[in-house]
Amino acid sequence: MAILELKNVTRSFGGLAAVQSASLELHAGERVGLIGPNGAGKTTLFNLISGVYRPDSGDIVLRGESLVGLPPHEIALRGVTRTFQNIRLFGGMTVLDNVKAAQHHRARSGLLASMVRTRSFQREESAMERASLELLREVGLADRRDALPGELPYGAQRRLEIARALAGGPQVLLLDEPAAGMNRAETAELMDLILRLQRERELSILLIEHQMALVMGICRRIYVLDFGEVIAHGTPAEIQNSPDVIEAYLGKGVRT
């Protein structure tokens, strides 16, 4: 059974369908790619999965239970976290605090405990700091724990965003163009990092990316969106040779 399943999901804005009857499956431990031309609806699909938008019709199911109507923080608590196409780090907080902030939605201590700093609150804070430091070590940023995000190179900011997404303890990780703006060497390092994190943390990953070398290198299956519709689905080799995919990217003919 799929850990995450989209069933005929549709979402329109002002009468324009951004996603049309889209269906896809992500199984436990899989790395699945989601590609398509600019404006195809890929990020809208991520926003639907993560609860930023609600579908007009269709269903989004995680481990057999619908996510439709749940707010983003509830979906994160159920095990789905994400990164963003445009980096959204907390610029006024340290690298360490950016990661810690992503764990507070799981905290058990209430407002009063945090105000008077009870022993249970201090134990919880210490545990979150240790977990955050471990994540920073995993992504190679432990030595920059006290830096501000803006002081990091661009590639390091991307890795910090991945660490923050992992701080929520997800089973499903949504990566929205994690290699955007990276050069070839940085992309290769990112590929290795994603593969290692997925293996060590037993993640299921759904990945949006325009860099085909990364998608073809790490994804076992790929879905292709065009004008909000899934026009192809298969292995990397099948996708590379699909006439529909070639037409969507190269613009052969006229689509009506």
Side-chain angles (χ1 to χ4, degrees), residues 30-250:
E30 268 196 312
R31 300 181 300 273
V32 173
L34 181 62
I35 66 173
N38 287 330
K42 303 181 297 296
T43 294
T44 298
L45 206 62
F46 268 24
N47 286 335
L48 289 164
I49 295 170
S50 59
V52 176
Y53 301 146
R54 181 170 182 158
D56 299 326
S57 61
D59 203 2
I60 302 170
V61 179
L62 178 70
R63 296 190 302 274
E65 296 185 2
S66 178
L67 298 179
V68 172
L70 295 179
H73 71 275
E74 285 288 344
I75 292 174
L77 279 171
R78 293 183 183 222
V80 180
T81 62
R82 66 175 295 185
T83 65
F84 293 86
Q85 182 178 355
N86 300 313
I87 295 174
R88 298 186 184 182
L89 298 169
F90 303 125
M93 298 171 63
T94 67
V95 165
L96 177 62
D97 285 340
N98 262 269
V99 180
K100 284 177 64 177
Q103 300 184 63
H104 277 281
H105 69 292
R106 294 180 178 273
R108 296 182 179 180
S109 299
L111 177 61
L112 179 60
S114 65
M115 291 175 64
V116 300
R117 300 189 65 82
T118 63
R119 288 184 179 179
S120 62
F121 169 79
Q122 293 181 48
R123 284 195 298 269
E124 197 167 47
E125 283 288 303
S126 295
M128 285 193 289
E129 181 158 326
R130 288 193 300 272
S132 298
L133 280 171
E134 178 57 32
L135 278 170
L136 290 177
R137 290 189 192 97
E138 289 186 48
V139 301
L141 292 175
D143 61 337
R144 304 303 304 274
R145 56 176 289 180
D146 296 321
L148 296 176
E151 298 170 354
L152 301 178
Y154 184 79
Q157 292 183 39
R158 286 283 181 188
R159 284 184 277 131
L160 175 56
E161 192 170 44
I162 291 173
R164 191 176 63 178
L166 291 175
Q171 294 177 311
V172 174
L173 179 62
L174 310 177
L175 298 175
D176 193 348
E177 296 195 39
M182 291 186 177
N183 60 35
R184 185 174 298 180
E186 290 171 330
T187 300
E189 291 177 0
L190 178 67
M191 287 176 61
D192 291 340
L193 175 64
I194 292 172
L195 289 170
R196 176 169 57 80
L197 291 173
Q198 190 258 340
R199 180 179 64 252
E200 293 176 354
R201 291 181 170 269
E202 299 181 343
L203 297 167
S204 303
I205 295 176
L206 184 60
L207 167 81
I208 294 174
E209 187 51 67
H210 284 291
Q211 293 203 34
M212 290 298 102
L214 189 151
V215 176
M216 299 297 172
I218 70 173
C219 294
R220 296 179 179 177
R221 293 190 297 118
I222 298 170
Y223 288 86
V224 185
L225 276 183
D226 191 28
F227 294 101
E229 297 182 71
V230 175
I231 62 168
H233 162 235
T235 65
E238 290 169 339
I239 293 302
Q240 285 177 309
N241 294 301
S242 167
D244 289 337
V245 175
I246 294 170
E247 179 180 342
Y249 274 96
L250 299 183

